[in-house]
């Protein structure tokens, strides 16, 4: 969800105003995704690199989940959406940790779409953590034989989504940037990519439908051949 700061600067507003507007857009896109039948919507909300930003901005971003869930959880329950959070959340401020834990607890019975936030997440760190945990388990005898892709996937932070849902079908990046920025590097090996010039606060229902329509036209071969042609 890129471009909040630039969206605000273009309007001569402080960067935090862009983050607030971006939060409002999360609510809109979440509802749309749920109603369209999306199984999992994973949003890159705060990376392990974002701590480098000015303290005032970081403090505002740490407060956003508190404000977001405080107002949106009742609507998520009504939409039957379950909240999950991935990342090194133990390093987040206590009030942020409490907000996400409460949201997960309050929506855990929901059986519809999973709204999965990546908070204090970085893919290289995730892969290193997964490899180290796998090595520990091999040494302890909990894992026998070679480490396969399936086994290593089970150590990734998306493993709780289940084997059928942990690898995203479609990756969308807003704001005109065309790079992955340390997001789900293991999981997106065969994901379709969609880049748009729209800043995240401007990424509306039409943009989302355009991204989904583009995905539906793709021919996904996963390294093989399309036998139908």
């Amino acid at each position: 969800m890129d471009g909040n700061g630039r969206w605000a600067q273009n309007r001569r507003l402080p960067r935090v105003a862009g983050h607030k507007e971006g939060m409002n857009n999360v609510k809109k896109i979440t509802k749309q995704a749920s109603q369209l039948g999306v199984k999992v919507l994973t949003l890159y909300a705060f990376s392990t690199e974002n701590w480098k930003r000015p303290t005032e901005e970081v403090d505002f971003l740490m407060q956003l989940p508190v404000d977001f869930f405080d107002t949106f959880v009742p609507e998520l329950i009504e939409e039957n959406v379950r909240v999950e959070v991935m990342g090194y959340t133990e390093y987040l401020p206590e009030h942020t940790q409490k907000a996400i834990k409460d949201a997960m607890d309050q929506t855990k019975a929901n059986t519809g779409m999973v709204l999965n936030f990546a908070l204090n997440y970085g893919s290289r760190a995730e892969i290193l953590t997964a490899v180290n945990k796998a090595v520990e388990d091999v040494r302890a005898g909990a894992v026998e034989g070679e480490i396969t892709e399936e086994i290593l996937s089970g150590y990734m932070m998306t493993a709780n989504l289940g084997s059928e849902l942990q690898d995203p079908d479609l990756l969308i990046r807003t704001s005109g940037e065309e790079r992955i920025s340390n997001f789900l590097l293991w999981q997106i090996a065969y994901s379709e990519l969609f880049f748009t010039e729209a800043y995240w606060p401007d990424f509306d229902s039409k943009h989302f439908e355009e991204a989904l329509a583009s995905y539906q036209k793709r021919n996904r071969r996963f390294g093989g051949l399309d036998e139908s042609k």
Side-chain angles (χ1 to χ4, degrees):
M1 303 181 291
D2 200 21
N4 291 339
R6 280 167 285 170
W7 179 91
Q9 289 171 339
N10 287 346
R11 289 161 175 76
R12 297 184 178 180
L13 298 170
R15 287 177 57 84
V16 294
H19 294 309
K20 185 175 182 179
E21 188 61 31
M23 180 187 74
N24 292 332
N25 200 40
V26 168
K27 297 178 179 181
K28 298 174 186 177
I29 296 300
T30 295
K31 286 186 176 182
Q32 183 184 11
S34 175
Q35 292 163 7
L36 288 173
V38 172
K39 298 290 182 64
V40 179
L41 179 66
T42 298
L43 301 176
Y44 203 3
F46 191 86
S47 76
T48 49
E49 290 74 37
N50 286 156
W51 295 106
K52 302 173 186 177
R53 295 188 177 188
T55 301
E56 179 184 351
E57 184 174 351
V58 170
D59 289 345
F60 185 87
L61 290 170
M62 290 297 104
Q63 180 62 29
L64 269 185
V66 180
D67 300 336
F68 176 83
F69 289 127
D70 184 53
T71 59
F72 197 43
V73 163
E75 295 179 59
L76 291 174
I77 294 173
E78 186 176 338
E79 287 283 339
N80 196 30
V81 172
R82 187 175 93 244
V83 174
E84 293 288 345
V85 178
M86 57 184 277
Y88 299 91
T89 57
E90 65 271 24
Y91 298 108
L92 299 175
E94 289 186 8
H95 64 278
T96 309
Q97 291 187 48
K98 184 179 185 304
I100 60 180
K101 182 181 183 302
D102 289 347
M104 292 170 64
D105 287 343
Q106 292 165 11
T107 62
K108 64 183 179 182
N110 293 349
T111 58
M113 187 185 81
V114 176
L115 177 59
N116 185 37
F117 283 97
L119 277 168
N120 197 28
Y121 170 84
S123 186
R124 284 188 171 185
E126 175 194 28
I127 293 170
L128 284 172
T129 298
V131 169
N132 283 319
K133 286 183 177 178
V135 168
E136 287 179 9
D137 285 349
V138 168
R139 288 174 175 170
V143 175
E144 298 180 356
E146 294 184 349
I147 298 294
T148 63
E149 286 189 19
E150 182 180 3
I151 290 174
L152 191 56
S153 290
Y155 286 92
M156 296 295 169
M157 293 180 179
T158 49
N160 65 320
L161 300 174
S163 59
E164 293 184 0
L165 298 176
Q166 63 183 353
D167 295 343
D169 294 310
L170 174 65
L171 172 71
I172 301 171
R173 176 148 191 178
T174 58
S175 86
E177 303 290 358
E178 297 184 0
R179 57 179 180 268
I180 306 304
S181 294
N182 202 17
F183 185 55
L184 297 177
L185 298 176
W186 174 270
Q187 294 90 337
I188 64 169
Y190 285 103
S191 299
E192 297 295 324
L193 309 182
F194 183 87
F195 301 102
T196 175
E197 295 290 330
Y199 294 138
W200 172 248
D202 292 328
F203 187 83
D204 58 17
S205 60
K206 291 183 179 179
H207 289 109
F208 192 38
E209 289 175 2
E210 178 188 3
L212 295 180
S214 173
Y215 166 78
Q216 290 174 328
K217 295 174 183 177
R218 310 275 179 98
N219 180 15
R220 306 185 73 199
R221 298 185 298 277
F222 299 95
L225 298 176
D226 187 348
E227 301 296 338
S228 66
K229 294 184 180 180

